Amino acid sequence: MLTQSKLSITTEDRNGDQKRTGPDHPGEFLKEALEETGTSQAEFARAIGVSPMRISHVVNGTRPVTAELALLFGRAFGQTPQYWLNLQATYDLKTAEREMGARLRALRPLAPA
């Protein structure tokens, strides 16, 4: 069984300090899991019964992990489907928050915090 990834996307600023550039797409976790098991994207696609292109799109971050894929990934790696859905939900929320930053900051809550 695979555990949560140690992946972290960072860049260096002018001072050489590292900083995160954005949320990790679930495809990065999938790529790492495949590398850890020595499985190619094509082999994995055949094993779970989907097209290699679909796996490639997820790995490249251009396609989301759907409920169907979460079930397949979870079964293949001995994880819960919820693990993969949580990765996707976290990615989606962080991406939306970054895109809506100013709008969210300008919004006054209707109820006290």
Side-chain angles (χ1 to χ4, degrees), residues 1-97:
M1 181 165 93
L2 296 173
T3 57
Q4 185 159 354
S5 173
K6 300 172 215 69
L7 271 177
S8 179
I9 297 175
T10 58
T11 59
E12 287 188 8
D13 63 15
R14 292 181 201 186
N15 300 323
D17 296 327
Q18 290 190 348
K19 65 177 190 170
R20 286 193 46 78
T21 59
D24 293 334
H25 187 277
E28 295 175 46
F29 294 86
L30 176 58
K31 180 180 179 183
E32 185 178 90
L34 293 174
E35 288 171 356
E36 286 179 10
T37 61
T39 307
S40 73
Q41 291 179 27
E43 290 170 325
F44 182 65
R46 280 191 300 277
I48 66 170
V50 300
S51 76
M53 186 63 70
R54 190 168 180 192
I55 298 303
S56 176
H57 284 295
V58 172
V59 167
N60 291 324
T62 58
R63 211 167 167 171
V65 172
T66 62
E68 174 192 358
L69 288 176
L71 287 164
L72 294 168
F73 293 0
R75 179 62 61 103
F77 293 118
Q79 300 161 319
T80 66
Q82 197 62 48
Y83 170 79
W84 291 96
L85 290 177
N86 287 344
L87 289 174
Q88 185 66 52
T90 299
Y91 173 80
D92 292 343
L93 283 169
K94 287 181 179 179
T95 300
E97 184 176 41

